[in-house]
Amino acid sequence: MGRSSLLCLAFGLRFFFFFRDQILEMFDHAYGSYMKYAYPADELMPLSCRGRVRGLEPNRGDVDDSLGKFSLTLIDTLDTLVLLNKFDEFEEAVKKTMRDVRLDNDVVVSVFETNIRVLGGLLGAHVMADHLRQRGDRMQWYRDELLHMAKDLGYRLLPAFNTTSGLPYPRVNLRYGVLNPLSRTGTESDTCTACAGTMILEFAALSRLSGDSVFEDHARKAMDVLWEKRQRGSDLVGTVINIHNGDWVRRDSGVVVHLVYFNHYIAIMKYISQPPLLLSVHMHNPTVSVRSWMDSLLAFFPGLQVLRGDLKPAIETHEMLYQVTKQHKFLPEAFTTEFRVHWGQHPLRPEFAESTYFLYKATGDPYYLKVGQSIVEKLNAHTRVPCGFAAVQDVRTGTHEDRMDSFFLAEMFKYLYLLFSEKSQLPFDIDDYVFTTEAHLLPVSLSTTRPPCLGNHTERRRSQEDDLFTYSCPSTQTLFPNNPSFAKSIRDGYKYLTGVGRAHHTLPVRTIELPLHDTGLEPVEFLKSMGISLTPLNEAAGGAGSQKGVYRVKLVAEVTQSPEEEEEVVPHIVQLISPPFLGRTVLTAGPAKFGMDLTRQEHGVKGKIVRSEPYSACGPILNPEALQGHVAVALRGDCMFAAKARRLQEAGAVGVIFIDHREGSSSAETPLFQMVGDGATTDDITVPLVFLFSQEGAVLTSALQEHSNVDVLLLPKERQMGRDRPEKLNIRLRLTKKEQEEEEEGKDASTFQLLLEPGDGMIDERTPPADHCAASEEVRQP
């Protein structure tokens, strides 16, 4: 090996060591802050430096369904400790779990979140404890206590499957189940596809580790029901399904974890994959996109494609995601097809880091180390706070949210540490394990029968050109990764996708060719409508088409690109007009793109506010009589705005105020946005809809708690009631001339006269003085 090669190797090792050590330090800061300030609470509130205990903090809606008073962050982090070679901390954490954690709490939790975070965490930790015990140097005292806890939790989740279809309820009470009168749940009729279909990995692992098949049987039945209910023509499934009759509630189809079914993967790539984006489509009409935005959770999909050997689309989508992070620092919770922010939050999600790790494993391309480096640096620069790491409330402003979800420790640090580690530096062979949804590690050996290698055709028919990217399993690029140009050649097409980094220069003149009919010029008019100027060229020799009436004409089009103007959001308000507020309390609100257009209503919409039951308005409305003719107040989350609006409108509400479930959000720190529909037509929604951030919503709900009747006015901010009137009325008291004389003579003056002086706010200066006297009022002295 030459000197230059040795220098490159030494530099590469130093690069690895530096970032791996930095990741370990970041983990210590996050985990140490949780243990110091929050444990045994479920989560750390990094801005408040205290634990989040459900019921003691303001309700965040469905976000809180993952909290079960079972030290969530500790359990979710257990196997991460082993991967990072923190064996002392792991042993101590297992003892704390056995000693402190209770699973029989009277609390309603999400079946899905509890499965992937807590059940998966216990199973992953048991596997790690058993591995260390078998090595002989640690955990010799361990007697499968974590597995016993996992089995106990599994039995507490099983009542959720007590439905006619076999699809689970979305929530369960850890102590009372679902149908018990004390359970406070069981009224739900719908669940999400992923919630019902992704239980199989943890439940099957629990069955095979414990020897009790009941868990795998129930999870497999639920998954089979979903696949049976797919749209046979497209092999797509919807996103929300009725758990009792199996009917699809929402038929828009996105990426779901059903890729064990080869045909479903083909359907995803055929209909949903619109390189480099992944957009939801209607399952019965998959050529129609139902959303113009992409969810950041889909950032996991390139990693899944890598595991399948489908590298070309994985590289394309990942590069697009990387360009979005360059534009916004982090992936916003959702972004449009023009790569603008749709939802601005970034709750420290790990999916982009996950795909980055798998792409580096597959290609060996150091480019992905640079991507990982950018993730590490941005987390430290923009989310690190004295008591941990704080989620980003809005990527456009960089404001923080008092939140550090358990998945940050369970997933983010696993993938980043693995990205910058050699296999020899890990405590076990990572290839012997499979990652769950929450990145918990389960042995591949749990699979008693290994299915044959899945086929690798992204479509049923593949062109000769596509074969260059070898869709074999395992991918030949994994076996022979020493071809750094192949991934770069794919990425280059997406390098300046969002405009970041593009040099400013005049674009070259492009020649395009259009088929035109002599009976119409629709293509030309269409291009003109897009701002493309067209100039016909002289007809080339032999350019005429051979068919009568059809010819081809070459056109020169100079395309000038200008940034698309951001859509203006017209601020609205919720003005409290009943006593004692009398219009003085005005709350800034965001509008909706559907429902009644308040800008066209001269006097706005007035009504008494009534809280919806359930508060999320995502199930049958239980208080329609109370809502009749009034303005409903509902919490954001659980389902789409349009679904809530339809239910509340049907219940008789004349308007709806949605309140953000994200604690601490405010219009002062977060830009207003327009609520959007659910992809289907919203013409049926005719009531006005406005959105309040959390802090403004707290003012409204406090007013409702303190006063039995609160009337509000919904209208655009520019039409605020009383805006043109002065806030204060200046009143001066003075003695009349006669009273002044009497006072000087020592006589008792018995009255004062109230005079409104000209220019004091209510009396026009042109009013004759006599009118002042007529409007005067006597005030008796005490």
Side-chain angles (χ1 to χ4, degrees), residues 82 126-136 427-429 433:
V82 178
H126 164 71
V127 169
M128 293 294 104
D130 188 56
H131 170 74
L132 294 177
R133 179 175 58 185
Q134 291 186 30
R135 287 199 333 189
F428 47 79
D429 188 346
Y433 294 83

Side-chain angles (χ1 to χ4, degrees), residues 533-551:
S533 58
L534 305 172
T535 304
L537 296 179
N538 293 330
E539 182 175 338
S546 58
Q547 295 180 354
K548 184 178 180 180
V550 179
Y551 61 94

Side-chain angles (χ1 to χ4, degrees), residues 2 31 38 56 60 93 112 191 469 511 553 570:
Y31 179 71
L56 299 184
R60 300 179 298 171
F112 171 73
T191 192
F469 299 102
T511 300
V553 59
V570 178

